[in-house]
Amino acid sequence: MFCADLVLHPLFDPAHDVVFTRIGAVSSDYVKIAVRYPASNASAHSVRLLWRESPAKSDYWRDGPLLTLTEEKDWVATTKLAGLWPKSAYEYTLASTNRTLLPYPKTPIQFHTFPDPRLPGSYFRFLASSCTIPNFPYVPYAPRTMKGYDHIAAYLDPKTTSTNLNPAPIITPPPGGSNETATIYVPPPPPTEFLIDFIYADVPYYAGDEVEAYQRLYRRNYNSPSFRKVYEKLPMLHTYDDHEIINNFAGKANDSTPPYPSAVVPFKRYNADANPESHKKDTFYYSFNRGDVAFFVLDTRRYRSDVLTADEDEKLTMLGEEQLTALHSWLGRVNSTATFKFIVSSIPFTSLWGHEAKVDTWRAYPDEKESLLATLHSIPNVFILSGDRHEFAHIQFTPSHSYEHVVQEISTSPLNMFWVPFIRTLTMASEEMVTRENKVVIDGEVVTENVEVPKERVLKYIASGSHKFSAIEVDTRDPEKPTLRIELVVNGKPKYNYEVVGVPVNIRTSASALGAYLAGGLKDAFDKFGFQPTKWF
């Protein structure tokens, strides 16, 4: 009976009536907001978004955008609330067209805009994980529970006592960077979360190549009380991987490849529309900045070659020509305009994973990977964020020359899914070596030796745990010591800390930075007269 409940529950609980709203992309002057609000006796209706600064100075709400919700689009719509002040707290609620507040949300949804990008220094954190399915491991009579999100909610709550919250700065790891007895440090909120493999369309079975078969899985996740505790408080950004489509999907730059046309409709509707704007219309790779920190989120499914059916002389690609060009253009820009650079890849960049990873990760596309890696080694402070393998690994890519830069990868999964207890498919170091110069003191003299080191090596590997997420803290307030702190939380407990002191970057700043300072100082005065920020700041 319990097995049938686990397997068939998506059919018995399609969550047609789920109501939700959430924050997606956040900037210094706008946010994107997604809403699902079904109507009971109509095929379409409108919902008004009302907003104000937080904490509220009065009961007055400002009119925001009007969202048109239709049965055809599963009652989901996304809007942009623009004209906001940088580094400010706001709240919003939902109302009918005549401004009568709707029953949901019971309390306003709060959010914070990013600081003005023209000001120096950043200090924030974000979370990253992948692979979620409700009620795993299975618990009878708890079909909507997602324990991984319960752990995130506890991590974000400063009153939580289930983990060792510490108001002091994070413990500096010993030489080598790791600290098994890690301490959680919670800096000022709010963070953002990246999610990959948001649904499993093909686990425990594939329900078919129809939009509704996929759509019900999105509704099911948003109907989870565990997930609701997080998405009503935390801005969330998404990219897809294979399980939003079908296992090991390769799109071959052909949007008619089944089941992509059916799978992409609800992904766009429920998740992608609230992401930052894409580089090109109707694409899902995108980039954005938070202060002097830059992000590029890849699409590793739509354009990739199928390595299993490709001809021997076919040039294999993971990203496709247009996306690869966009990525290189972005790298050229952020090399001198961002301190830390993050590339989000749904699948691991490292070639150290074996088994199925031989054909599904970047390992299967060696030419494109090596070409890209050579570029990354020329840019300081590059980190790759990935998931997919249902394990955690922290990987270091060592360049061939001492004047080049180390690249690191943080691969985190699952958030709410199985882990494999007996089989290990991750090799600790690559067979390929690079020669590095190492200075040692012999008889009082500094001698340079050539040493062979692995091109790729594992800094930390943790396989166990069905609920994993990485919290990444970025601090560039001291430009001479930009710092990145990584913390892995497994099943609600801190398991690994690592601190990286990055390379100082001479950031090209805008001459309008003074305007940013003036804008911040005049904000309160303008508020008194009801003025809104304008482009001349």
Side-chain angles (χ1 to χ4, degrees), residues 511-531:
S512 62
L514 176 60
Y517 281 111
L518 293 174
L522 293 173
K523 175 180 180 296
D524 290 338
F526 284 161
D527 278 348
K528 293 179 181 179
F529 295 98
F531 292 136

Side-chain angles (χ1 to χ4, degrees), residues 476-497:
T476 65
R477 292 173 296 180
D478 181 352
E480 297 303 313
K481 191 182 177 182
T483 303
L484 189 75
R485 299 183 180 96
I486 303 163
E487 177 156 69
L488 173 70
V489 179
V490 180
N491 296 340
K493 297 180 180 180
K495 291 295 184 181
Y496 173 63
N497 269 16

